Amino acid sequence: MTKTSPRPERPPAPLVQFKGAKPPAPAWFERALAVPADTGTVMVEGAMIHWKAWGETGKPGLVLVHGGVAHKDWWDSIGPFLAETRRVVALDLSGMGDSDHRDVYSMDTYALEVIAAGRAGGAFAAEAPFVVGHSFGGFVSLATATEFGAELAGIAVLDSPVRPPNEQRNTPPPRRGGGIYASFDAALQRFRLLPEQECANAFLMDHIARQSLKPMARPDGSEGWTWKFDPHLWSKMTYDRQSPAEIAAGLKCRIALFRGANSALVTDEVWDFMRETFGADTTMVSIPDAQHHLILDQPIAVAAALEVLTGPGWG
């Protein structure tokens, strides 16, 4: 009988070491959290969509779209800084954050949600806004640019791997969430990034993890805590499979591409393919010392790059 090697032991979840306490945060993040934000909702195709916004209505608009099973508060280290020069709106896509769950999810509906939340939050008040999406949100941004690009100034796609058709995922991601934990701290200490990676900014992981939970009764009737996102999200998702060439050809506005320079998803090979697909004159930015979750790894660098790329001088 052939012996198999034991599976490597999974490292502890990153917040276990803090035992429910908040990690120390730098002064710049505390200042970002102190920036006033408006909040609101908008109904889209029968689901209530939540949004938050920083900055003055009437300034140039920017709409921020989070990644899969994430939420609008992932942008709390970036949105307040961009709000000095624009109206910044971040939304919870349906099935995630505080927004309603659906029986079926699709990119077409997500594109509607981006536009509707942007309008409700004031991002369209001055002129055509930019849309910025991270990971899954980058694909939502591409769908928005395909359908509503004529109403946008441009999009920025952050670490969303556009691969050759034979290398694209053909099955939905595994089921996530659904467990109910006995206490808030117990749930908090189970939080992990997806895909998993190390992140030096534990204070940001702690912040987004705390905003990812909601109370829910346990089977025995006692109080418990669970993740906000729909645990059946991926199995309910419908996909309109387009080739990379069709995606690029269908865009109705400008595009900029970002990645973490050390991303495990947007590798050098994928990055080169994306350059070929979207054209050599496409703005492409690799953020140093960042992995897939670049908005957590290097939030100040990402904010600075977006300030330049979504400003009046771009293009």
Side-chain angles (χ1 to χ4, degrees), residues 41-51 100 102 112-113 116-117 120:
T41 59
V42 61
M43 187 68 72
V44 181
E45 299 286 297
M48 192 68 75
I49 304 303
H50 287 245
W51 55 266
D100 286 347
R102 296 184 184 276
L112 287 172
E113 294 173 9

Side-chain angles (χ1 to χ4, degrees), residues 8-314:
E9 186 176 347
R10 194 181 190 188
L15 299 179
V16 168
Q17 60 181 307
F18 301 103
K19 300 179 179 179
K22 289 186 178 183
W28 68 261
F29 184 58
E30 299 295 344
R31 290 195 298 270
L33 292 182
V35 174
D38 300 323
T39 59
T41 59
V42 61
M43 187 68 72
V44 181
E45 299 286 297
M48 192 68 75
I49 304 303
H50 287 245
W51 55 266
K52 68 190 299 184
W54 304 268
E56 297 177 17
T57 301
K59 289 184 176 180
L62 179 63
V63 183
L64 303 175
V65 189
H66 60 75
V69 301
H71 51 76
K72 59 186 177 298
D73 299 310
W74 277 64
W75 298 102
D76 283 355
S77 62
I78 292 176
F81 293 105
L82 298 173
E84 293 183 8
T85 57
R86 63 207 73 204
R87 177 69 168 182
V88 181
V89 178
L91 72 147
D92 286 333
L93 297 171
S94 57
M96 294 173 260
D98 296 316
S99 291
D100 286 347
H101 295 185
R102 296 184 184 276
D103 295 329
V104 177
Y105 302 97
S106 72
M107 285 294 178
D108 288 345
T109 303
Y110 281 141
L112 287 172
E113 294 173 9
V114 170
I115 297 299
R119 291 193 184 282
F124 283 81
E127 54 194 42
F130 288 92
V131 172
V132 176
H134 170 239
S135 191
F136 177 78
F139 292 108
V140 173
S141 299
L142 286 168
T144 306
T146 300
E147 186 67 24
F148 301 102
E151 302 176 41
L152 303 176
I155 64 170
V157 174
L158 279 55
D159 218 85
S160 306
V162 177
R163 304 184 181 96
N166 63 327
E167 297 179 19
Q168 292 284 10
R169 180 191 289 272
N170 292 316
T171 58
R175 184 179 186 272
R176 305 288 185 184
I180 306 175
Y181 304 95
S183 69
F184 183 89
D185 287 351
L188 188 70
Q189 293 179 54
R190 294 295 298 270
F191 178 81
R192 294 178 185 269
L193 296 173
L194 298 173
E196 290 192 46
Q197 64 163 76
E198 293 183 0
C199 178
N201 294 326
F203 65 94
L204 288 180
M205 286 193 292
D206 178 84
H207 174 72
I208 61 176
R210 289 177 185 275
Q211 312 309 315
S212 300
L213 290 162
K214 65 180 180 181
M216 176 173 283
R218 305 180 75 196
D220 63 3
S222 62
E223 183 183 71
W225 293 85
T226 191
W227 306 110
K228 291 180 178 178
F229 62 83
D230 185 346
H232 305 289
L233 176 73
W234 301 125
S235 63
K236 294 178 180 179
M237 187 75 66
T238 61
Y239 296 94
D240 178 15
R241 299 290 184 184
Q242 289 186 302
S243 70
E246 289 172 328
I247 293 172
L251 296 177
K252 297 181 176 68
C253 63
R254 294 175 291 174
I255 183 173
L257 303 173
F258 283 54
R259 71 162 179 168
N262 303 324
S263 174
L265 297 185
V266 186
T267 61
D268 289 345
E269 292 76 15
V270 172
W271 198 232
D272 289 343
F273 176 77
M274 291 172 69
R275 180 178 289 106
E276 294 173 6
T277 299
F278 291 99
D281 58 346
T282 300
T283 298
M284 301 182 69
V285 182
S286 288
I287 301 295
D289 197 24
Q291 300 183 60
H292 172 67
H293 298 285
L294 67 169
I295 62 177
L296 303 181
D297 294 327
Q298 298 292 343
I300 295 176
V302 173
L306 289 175
E307 175 67 28
V308 174
L309 287 176
T310 64
W314 185 30

